[in-house]
Amino acid sequence: MNGAISLANMRSGQSGRIVQIEGGFGVNRRLDTLGLRVGKRIKKVSRQLMRGPVIISHGNTRAAVGFGMAQRIWVEIEQP
Amino acid sequence: MKKILLMGNPNNGKSVVFNRLTGANVIISNYPGTTVDFTQGKMRIDEEDMMVIDVPGTYSLDAGDKAEEVAVRMLEGGDIVINVVDATNLEKGLNLTMQLIKKKKPMIIALNFWDETKHKGITIDFQKLEEILGVPCIPICAVTGEGIKKLTERLKEAKFSKFDYKDKGKWHVIGDIIGQVQKLSHHHHTLMERLGDISTTPVFSIPLALVILFFTFKIIRFIGEGLIGYVFEPVFEKLWTPILLKLSAILGSNGLIHDILIGKLIEGKIDYGQSFGLLTTGLFVPIGAVLPYVFAFYIMLSVLEDCGYLPRLAVLVDGLMHRLGIHGLAIIPMMLGLGCNVPGILSTRILATRRERFIAVTLLSIAVPCAALQAMVVGLMGEHMVYGLGVVYGTLFVVWLVLGILMAHLVSGTSPEIFMEIPPYRRPYLTHLLKKTGIRTKWFIKEAIPFVLLGVFIVNILYTLGIIQFVGKYTAPVISGIFGLPKEAIGALLVGFLRKDVAVGMLAPLALNLKQLIIASVVLTMYFPCIATFSTLVKELGFVDMLKASAIMIVAVLIVGGMLNLIL
C-alpha cells in the first residue's frame, strides 16, 4: 500500500485506484452496490464544506460518499 | 392476471416506462427513493389484461434498505420481470441483472436512455448482449416513447436466463460482458456534465444554490400572485359575490344559518378575508389565496426534481444536516414540507433509520411552515412585509437548527452516512411536469378544502355558542402573559389545530401590532401541525413518538413565544 491515501485526503481532480476499503461487510456491501470496490479506478471531483460528502466519479456514475466513509477508502494515486 | 414487475436501479426511468406502459398517473422524479411505495397499473397485450407493478428502485437484492426489502418481497409474486437498465451505465445495471438471473424469473431487458448513449460516445451491441444473456434486450427511450412498442411486442418472449456465474467472480463476469458488447469512443464533456461537476464544488455550489432558491421563490410568488390577481380574485368578485349577495338577501342578512354560510357582512359587503362564512372566507382562503401558491410551488419543485438538482442540494447541505442528526437527503422532505407538511412527512420514508425519521418529522411539523400558512403570514404582515417576514422566517430557521442539534444529541439511535448516486442533469419534460403538478395540486384540493370548510364550520358554531369566548377567558393569562397577545387571539389559536391558515386569517381583524403579529405567526406555525399533518404524524411515527414530538413542540413554543415577547 505504498503511497496510498484516503479518499478524504485526495485532492479534487486526482484519480486513482481503490486499494483497500476499511470496514465491515456492511460498508463494503453498500459501496459494492454502486460498483465501488478494490481495483476500481475513481476520480475525486470535489468535496463539500464542514466535512461534508466527497464527490467522486467512476465511469459515467457520480456518487457522494460521506466524509467518514471517505476516510476509510484507500486510494493509490495515479501520477498524471 | 399476469403480474409484470418493472425492476431496475433507482433513477433509471422506471416510472416513465411505467407511465408509457399503463398511461397511469405516477409521479416521476429525478432523485432516488421516490418510489418507496409501489405503484401498479394495467396494460393490455393481445386481448390479455396484465398487471404492471412499478417496483421501488434497487441496486441489489440483498435487502439492505426499505426499498430493497419491498423489491425482494415483490419479486416472489411476479410472473415476468422487465429489467430496466440505464444504457449509459451498463455496469451498474448488469450488477442487478446478475442477481435477477439467479432468481430464475422470465426476464426481458429494456435498455433505457438509448438516445443519451450516442451523446456520450457509447455504442452497445444489444443483439450480442441478448445472445450472451439469452433474454430479449430492447433499446428504448422512455421519455420519447421510442422502443416501447417493441418492448410490449416482445414481452411474451421473456424467458429465464441460462447464464451461469459464481457470486465471487461477479464483477469479473460483468466486466467481461461489457468488454464484449460495449465500445467507448472518446467524447468531449457535454455542457450538462460540466455544469454537473461545477455545481458540486463548494465555490460554485453555494452561490448557485442561493441563486436557484432565490429565483425559485421569486417565480413562485410571480406565478402565485399573478394567478390570484388576474384569475382567482376576479372570478370570486365578479361571479361568486353576486350569487352570495342574493343568497344573503334570501336568508334575511343575518341569523344563525346566514352567519355560518356567509358570515358577517362588512359595511353591507362581503369581505372574503373577514366575513368568515363557510361560503365566503371558507372557500376563498384555500382556493383564492392558498391554492395559487401551492400550485406555483409544486411547479417549481417539479422542475428542480426533474432536472436533477435536488440530489445536489442534498449533497451540499449534508454537512450541516448531519449536525442535526439527519442526512442531506432530508432536505427533500423539508422542501416538500414548504408546500404542504403531509407529503413532506410521508417522504421521510426515504430516510434509513427511525432516529432520522423522528428528527425529520418533528422538525418538519414544528419549524417548517406550509405554503398555506406562509401565504397567510405574508397577507397578515401587510406593510411590514420585509421586517416582519424576516423575523418570522429567521426565528423559525433558528428553531429548526437548535431543535435539530438538541435532538441529534438526545435522540438515541444512528444516522448512517450519506452514500448516494448523483444523477446527471436532465432536461425536464413539460408533459411530465404538468402531470406531476396536476397530481399534487389535485391531492391538495382533495385534502385541504374539506378541512378548511370543516374548520370554519366548527369555529362558527363554537363562536355562536360562546365556547371560544369562554375558553379564551380562562386561558387568557397564559396567552397574554407569556406571548403578549390579546385574549381574542385564543380563538385563532384554537382553530389553528384544525387549519392554521384559517387561524391566521382570523388574526387579521384583531388589529394586532407588529410585535404581536410576529409572535402570533411564529406561535401558530410552531405550536401544532394542522389536523391533516397531525394524523399523518401519528400514522408515520406511532402513538408514543407522536407524544414525544408533541411534548417537544409544546416546550419549544412556550420558550420561543415567551422569548420573542421579551426580546422584541
Side-chain angles (χ1 to χ4, degrees), chain B residues 15-32:
Chain B
S15 296
V16 191
V17 176
F18 180 84
N19 274 343
R20 286 278 167 197
L21 291 176
T22 63
N25 288 333
V26 178
I27 291 188
I28 308 141
S29 352
N30 197 358
Y31 57 78

Side-chain angles (χ1 to χ4, degrees), chain B residues 58-98:
Chain B
T58 172
Y59 291 111
S60 81
L61 297 174
D62 290 336
D65 61 34
K66 217 167 175 166
E68 288 177 11
E69 270 170 39
V70 177
V72 173
R73 216 171 47 232
M74 296 180 70
L75 189 58
E76 310 289 313
D79 297 305
I80 298 174
V81 173
I82 299 180
N83 175 12
V84 183
V85 169
D86 178 352
T88 65
N89 206 327
L90 206 51
E91 185 184 56
K92 208 173 43 158
L94 285 178
N95 181 22
L96 181 66
T97 306
M98 287 300 134

Side-chain angles (χ1 to χ4, degrees), chain B residues 300-312:
Chain B
M300 289 314 290
L301 185 74
S302 306
V303 172
L304 292 183
E305 259 177 14
D306 284 10
C307 70
Y309 183 68
L310 287 185
R312 289 173 173 80

Side-chain angles (χ1 to χ4, degrees), chain A residues 29-37 40 46-50 53 55 60-64 66-69, chain B residues 59-60 62 64 88-89 91-92 122 170-171 197 200-202 206 315 318 323 417-422:
Chain A
R29 198 196 69 85
R30 280 182 81 191
L31 292 170
D32 186 78
T33 56
L34 282 190
L36 289 169
R37 57 189 184 275
K40 186 85 189 176
S46 60
R47 59 187 300 177
Q48 309 300 312
L49 301 178
M50 301 170 69
I55 314 285
N60 269 319
T61 308
R62 278 173 180 58
F67 191 82
M69 214 185 266
Chain B
Y59 291 111
S60 81
D62 290 336
T88 65
N89 206 327
E91 185 184 56
K92 208 173 43 158
I122 302 168
K170 180 183 72 178
W171 287 112
D197 285 348
T200 54
T201 50
I206 293 169
V315 169
D318 185 68
R323 281 156 182 77
E417 274 195 86
I418 199 168
F419 174 62
M420 59 183 244
E421 191 186 354
I422 301 174

